[in-house]
Amino acid sequence: FFFFFFFFFFFFFFFFFFFFFFFFFKQKTAYEISACLVGSEMCIRDRYMGNLLMVDDETFETANADSSHTYSVQANALRVGNYVMLKGHPCKVMEVHFFKVGKHGHAKASIVGIDIFTSKKYEDTVPSTHNIAVPFVTRKEYQLNDIASDGFMALLRDDGATKDDLRLGDSSEEVAIKEKLEEMVNEGKVVIVGVIEAMGTEKIVDYREF
């Protein structure tokens, strides 16, 4: 009887211990581990994508409205004849000097330029290693068909379409150009005008007989 009681007690204890260990301290199966990793990966991916979206939104909201009209170069790369933005105006560099301030000062660039549209003079001084905005400047040629009394010109594009949104202003220089162009058109000459464009603005800079 004692032996039977001892055997029953030992079997019951072993079964209880095994049951407890199996349900509370068992290791995860390969499926459960993979599911856990997938969940972690998704969490990390979603957080990463969320950060990317947040950065993109900030970049979009704070982007400069003129960024599509300019690009950046270091000030020490500027030379006479280059284009540069000075005080918010597209200018052609007329003078550029590099100098140091004090014994341990940083090198600076002193830039003098002329507005390509108004011919006004602008100056600025910036650290030579800093980036400075440079406007995209393009030049195109059109055939002149006619000039209206208010200065608007009828121009012919290369593809045969007409361009009629360019006007000669009232400055003495532009009035003189207008008179000369009218004279050439009235004489039946084929006239080609050169137009530069920068920062969304256009201007006639030269003309010639074709």
Side-chain angles (χ1 to χ4, degrees):
F1 177 81
F2 180 79
F3 178 78
F4 181 79
F5 178 80
F6 179 79
F7 179 80
F8 180 82
F9 179 80
F10 180 79
F11 180 81
F12 180 81
F13 180 80
F14 179 80
F15 181 81
F16 178 81
F17 180 80
F18 180 80
F19 181 86
F20 183 83
F21 180 83
F22 182 82
F23 283 93
F24 291 91
F25 294 99
K26 71 182 184 72
Q27 293 184 348
K28 292 183 177 181
T29 63
Y31 177 80
E32 291 171 323
I33 292 174
S34 63
C36 179
L37 291 176
V38 169
S40 301
E41 182 183 359
M42 291 176 65
C43 179
I44 294 171
R45 183 192 61 196
D46 292 343
R47 184 172 59 186
Y48 177 68
M49 292 302 294
N51 290 338
L52 284 180
L53 291 172
M54 182 174 63
V55 171
D56 288 344
D57 289 343
E58 291 175 354
T59 302
F60 178 79
E61 292 172 359
T62 60
N64 192 320
D66 294 332
S67 59
S68 62
H69 297 294
T70 64
Y71 62 98
S72 297
V73 300
Q74 281 196 343
N76 56 19
L78 289 176
R79 298 293 183 267
V80 172
N82 293 161
Y83 295 108
V84 67
M85 294 296 295
L86 295 177
K87 309 297 184 183
H89 300 272
C91 298
K92 191 170 187 178
V93 177
M94 308 306 293
E95 299 176 30
V96 57
H97 303 287
F98 302 100
F99 61 93
K100 260 191 173 184
V101 180
K103 185 177 180 180
H104 303 291
H106 295 289
K108 292 184 179 294
S110 176
I111 309 164
V112 179
I114 300 296
D115 190 307
I116 61 177
F117 296 119
T118 65
S119 298
K120 284 190 64 175
K121 180 180 177 181
Y122 292 96
E123 301 180 32
D124 201 1
T125 300
V126 298
S128 62
T129 56
H130 282 201
N131 285 342
I132 190 167
V134 174
F136 288 107
V137 180
T138 59
R139 185 183 187 280
K140 295 181 180 180
E141 290 190 337
Y142 303 95
Q143 180 179 325
L144 176 63
N145 287 343
D146 195 13
I147 305 179
S149 58
D150 57 2
F152 278 97
M153 294 175 291
L155 304 175
L156 186 65
R157 302 177 187 268
D158 291 338
D159 59 3
T162 57
K163 174 180 173 63
D164 53 11
D165 58 350
L166 190 58
R167 178 181 181 272
L168 284 167
D170 300 323
S171 66
S172 57
E173 177 188 2
E174 290 178 295
V175 168
I177 292 175
K178 178 175 179 291
E179 292 175 351
K180 182 61 179 177
L181 292 177
E182 285 177 332
E183 178 184 335
M184 295 175 71
V185 171
N186 291 334
E187 291 175 356
K189 296 178 179 179
V190 177
V191 183
I192 304 297
V193 296
V195 179
I196 60 169
E197 190 276 333
M199 306 298 292
T201 302
E202 294 178 307
K203 179 184 179 180
I204 290 181
V205 291
D206 55 47
Y207 56 89
R208 59 183 174 83
E209 183 179 351
F210 183 71

